[in-house]
Amino acid sequence: MILINVITFIVFGVDKRNAACGKWRVREITLLELAIIGGSIGGIAAMRVFRHKTQKMKFKICMPLIFILHCFVAVYLVFNVL
């Protein structure tokens, strides 16, 4: 989980840098997919640190929802699997 969050954070940062330089960009769906597969904390942190995608309604809504979903899954796994 730590690795996917670090990767997500870095990809958001690279996308922000590339946006400022007018270079190749990471697709928004890729950023959201990284969050869905476990990088929601890294994505939210990157949005705050880099001030990236903070005005996009898709990210303002989806990132916290994905994080909440991950919390529910974690609680379920802790109490029902272990």
Side-chain angles (χ1 to χ4, degrees):
M1 287 302 289
I2 292 171
L3 181 60
I4 189 61
N5 280 288
V6 170
I7 290 169
T8 303
F9 185 86
I10 291 168
V11 172
F12 266 80
V14 167
D15 188 49
K16 174 65 175 192
R17 185 189 65 220
N18 288 351
C21 297
K23 294 182 180 178
W24 166 86
R25 301 286 306 277
V26 177
R27 294 179 4 192
E28 287 185 350
I29 191 69
T30 302
L31 296 174
L32 290 171
E33 287 170 345
L34 286 168
I36 289 169
I37 63 171
S40 60
I41 295 172
I44 291 169
M47 286 175 67
R48 295 193 186 276
V49 170
F50 302 122
R51 297 182 185 166
H52 189 48
K53 301 291 185 189
T54 57
Q55 299 301 313
K56 295 272 190 167
M57 193 59 68
K58 183 187 314 183
F59 284 85
K60 287 170 75 171
I61 294 171
C62 289
M63 295 301 284
L65 288 176
I66 293 168
F67 173 71
I68 291 167
L69 175 66
H70 287 160
C71 290
F72 280 123
V73 169
V75 168
Y76 174 81
L77 291 174
V78 167
F79 287 107
N80 292 307
V81 176
L82 301 176

